[in-house]
Amino acid sequence: MPIDNSCSENQDDTTTRNQHKFEWHIKVDGHVNGTAISILESYRDGQSNSPQTSLSTAALKQAISKGALWLTPAKNKKQTQRLRRVKKQLLPDDELHFYYNSTVLSTPVPPAILIEDLVDYSVWYKPYGMLSQGSKWSDHCTIARFAQQNLPNERPAFIVHRLDRAATGLILIAHSKKAARALSAMFEQHQLEKNYHIIVHGDHSKRPQPEVITADIDGKSARSTFTCLAYDSYADRSLIKVKIDSGRKHQIRLHAASIGLPVVGDRLHGIADESEPCDLQLCAVSLRFSCPLTPKITSVSAGTATKKERYFELPETLKPQLSPRL
């Protein structure tokens, strides 16, 4: 089977020697009737004196199922996408990109919890450690892939907004391109109300209630409103409700740190280190918006047309709990 080996692998010598991390970039050459898996097998078997030759076909297929393989079709070089169909027939000049990272591929997937399935989109509780977006190495730990695999009919899944890997809480997943466009626009234009709960070090009840914080983030305006819900004097920690009117990266964590009350478990902007037993205590607890996908409801008496309002809130058991045992 003709394969152009001039598109050789890009490797890190140390990690490749232990078969932890490597890349294959394969251009199919000539008249080929081969499948994706057969071409990968041929490429693997053609590498002499390489530890990568010991990678079994089962391991190749498992990596592919987790999102490690990409296809750039000869007919459209600008449309590189993940490829999971190992038996897909490839054409001359198609390009395969295989990214193998044993550490990434062996990462366990924490289970998300379905809050509601609305067909066009679904609402989930994203746990700590689950990603919003994958990388070239894999997407098996992402909320989108989890939703796709755990909803009926394995619908397509599109991310319309993000939560940090360390954050938890409500996240929407769209199941059509139309829904993705409408919901993404809603988030970009801030046409919704988002509320979070955080637990911070210190007593926020001594500060103005509610407290509006407007410190810029990376030179851009940002606004958060903090309201203390409870204070635990034993642990010297406060439970705070946060409403954000802008969506800057790490906004809540930076605003909390800016007033000297860092979020518990924040290893990036707070005081937590590797010995901290708590995960990041930041959770998206509620979303309220007028659904852009439902027809407008006309009120005869008022003579107005409005979109159906949607409201989602996590059960108390999934919200951060203020406790001296934290």
Side-chain angles (χ1 to χ4, degrees):
M1 180 179 300
I3 295 175
D4 182 359
N5 287 325
S6 63
C7 293
S8 60
E9 61 229 61
N10 176 14
Q11 310 166 11
D12 178 275
D13 290 339
T14 303
T15 54
T16 300
R17 198 174 298 124
N18 297 317
Q19 200 174 318
H20 286 304
K21 181 179 178 181
F22 60 84
E23 302 178 14
W24 291 344
H25 300 282
I26 308 168
K27 184 176 181 180
V28 180
D29 185 24
H31 300 287
V32 175
N33 293 318
T35 61
I37 189 63
S38 65
I39 288 176
L40 288 177
E41 289 172 326
S42 294
Y43 186 85
R44 174 200 62 193
D45 297 342
Q47 297 183 81
S48 59
N49 301 319
S50 171
Q52 297 165 32
T53 59
S54 64
L55 192 65
S56 68
T57 297
L60 286 174
K61 290 180 177 179
Q62 184 181 57
I64 292 169
S65 72
K66 292 183 176 182
L69 182 64
W70 298 73
L71 170 65
T72 303
K75 294 181 178 180
N76 188 349
K77 294 293 187 180
K78 296 181 179 180
Q79 193 177 11
T80 300
Q81 295 181 329
R82 291 189 201 272
L83 176 63
R84 301 186 203 274
R85 293 168 51 208
V86 296
K87 293 184 178 181
K88 179 178 175 61
Q89 293 286 330
L90 298 186
L91 301 173
D93 294 330
D94 282 350
E95 295 177 18
L96 289 178
H97 311 279
F98 182 65
Y99 300 95
Y100 188 86
N101 185 322
S102 59
T103 301
V104 172
L105 293 170
S106 63
T107 301
V109 183
I113 299 174
L114 178 64
I115 302 299
E116 191 164 350
D117 182 1
L118 295 159
V119 183
D120 287 325
Y121 62 97
S122 53
V123 187
W124 296 80
Y125 168 76
K126 186 194 83 66
Y128 175 86
M130 179 169 273
L131 303 172
S132 293
Q133 191 170 17
S135 68
K136 67 181 183 180
W137 306 101
S138 166
D139 66 349
H140 77 289
C141 286
T142 65
I143 180 64
R145 182 62 177 159
F146 186 92
Q148 188 177 35
Q149 291 180 305
N150 288 276
L151 286 173
N153 304 320
E154 198 164 320
R155 280 168 269 168
F158 303 93
I159 288 290
V160 297
H161 66 119
R162 292 171 176 80
L163 285 176
D164 293 343
R165 175 186 176 276
T168 62
L170 292 172
I171 190 166
L172 304 186
I173 302 295
H175 299 299
S176 68
K177 291 183 178 180
K178 176 184 176 181
R181 286 192 296 268
L183 293 171
S184 295
M186 180 183 72
F187 277 91
E188 290 168 3
Q189 297 166 18
H190 308 295
Q191 296 174 338
L192 73 163
E193 180 182 301
K194 295 181 284 187
N195 287 298
Y196 298 77
H197 282 184
I198 60 174
I199 294 177
V200 302
H201 294 280
D203 186 359
H204 187 261
S205 67
K206 295 179 179 180
R207 302 180 66 86
Q209 299 296 321
E211 180 176 17
V212 178
I213 304 171
T214 57
D216 288 356
I217 306 292
D218 293 331
K220 298 179 180 179
S221 61
R223 178 186 171 97
S224 304
T225 301
F226 283 22
T227 304
C228 187
L229 299 177
Y231 172 64
D232 179 4
S233 59
Y234 179 85
D236 188 30
R237 293 176 178 179
S238 300
L239 175 64
I240 299 175
K241 177 182 178 180
V242 181
K243 179 179 179 295
I244 62 172
D245 298 316
S246 51
R248 308 305 180 197
K249 186 176 181 179
H250 297 169
Q251 175 177 326
I252 295 174
R253 298 157 73 172
L254 287 166
H255 275 179
S258 74
I259 59 174
L261 302 175
V263 177
V264 172
D266 188 353
R267 295 173 174 81
L268 188 59
H269 303 293
I271 60 175
D273 56 24
E274 294 305 318
S275 64
E276 171 61 61
C278 287
D279 295 333
L280 181 71
Q281 297 298 296
L282 188 159
C283 181
V285 298
S286 69
L287 290 171
R288 186 190 302 273
F289 56 89
S290 296
C291 181
L293 297 168
T294 56
K296 289 185 177 182
I297 301 172
T298 302
S299 171
V300 177
S301 58
T304 58
T306 58
K307 291 284 188 179
K308 182 175 182 179
E309 184 175 88
R310 295 288 190 185
Y311 180 69
F312 304 98
E313 183 175 7
L314 285 180
E316 290 298 320
T317 54
L318 293 177
K319 296 178 182 178
Q321 303 296 315
L322 190 60
S323 165
R325 291 175 296 174
L326 278 175

